[in-house]
C-alpha cells in the first residue's frame, strides 16, 4: 500500500495537476491525457491496494 501523498508525487511527476478542490476528494487533470482522476484528500493515510491500482490504471501509469 502507498500513502496518498506518495501517489500525488508520482502523478505530479507525470504531469497531472489539480483541477478542482472538493470537500473530501480533489480532481486532477492531465494536459495531454483524457479524463479526470478523483483522489481522496487524506495525505498521510494509506490507500487500499485496489484503490491505488485503479487510480494508477486510470492515469495510465
Amino acid at each position: 500500500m502507498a500513502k496518498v501523498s506518495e501517489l500525488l508525487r508520482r502523478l505530479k511527476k507525470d504531469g497531472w495537476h489539480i483541477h478542482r478542490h472538493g470537500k473530501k476528494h480533489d480532481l486532477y487533470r492531465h494536459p495531454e491525457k483524457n479524463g479526470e482522476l478523483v483522489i481522496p484528500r487524506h495525505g498521510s493515510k494509506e490507500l487500499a491496494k485496489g484503490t491505488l491500482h485503479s487510480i494508477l490504471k486510470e492515469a495510465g501509469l
Side-chain angles (χ1 to χ4, degrees):
M1 285 194 261
K3 293 185 179 186
V4 175
S5 57
E6 295 168 357
L7 172 64
L8 290 177
R9 265 187 255 123
R10 189 168 174 186
L11 292 174
K12 288 178 183 179
K13 187 176 180 182
D14 188 50
W16 291 88
H17 63 277
I18 188 139
H19 172 67
R20 188 177 69 199
H21 283 289
K23 191 170 187 178
K24 294 184 178 182
H25 295 82
D26 291 329
L27 287 130
Y28 283 79
R29 285 193 176 165
H30 195 280
E32 298 169 2
K33 297 179 183 180
N34 293 329
E36 287 183 328
L37 299 178
V38 179
I39 310 295
R41 295 182 76 190
H42 313 291
S44 62
K45 288 193 176 184
E46 295 281 331
L47 279 173
K49 188 176 182 180
T51 304
L52 175 62
H53 287 292
S54 175
I55 291 171
L56 291 174
K57 183 177 178 181
E58 271 188 75
L61 298 175

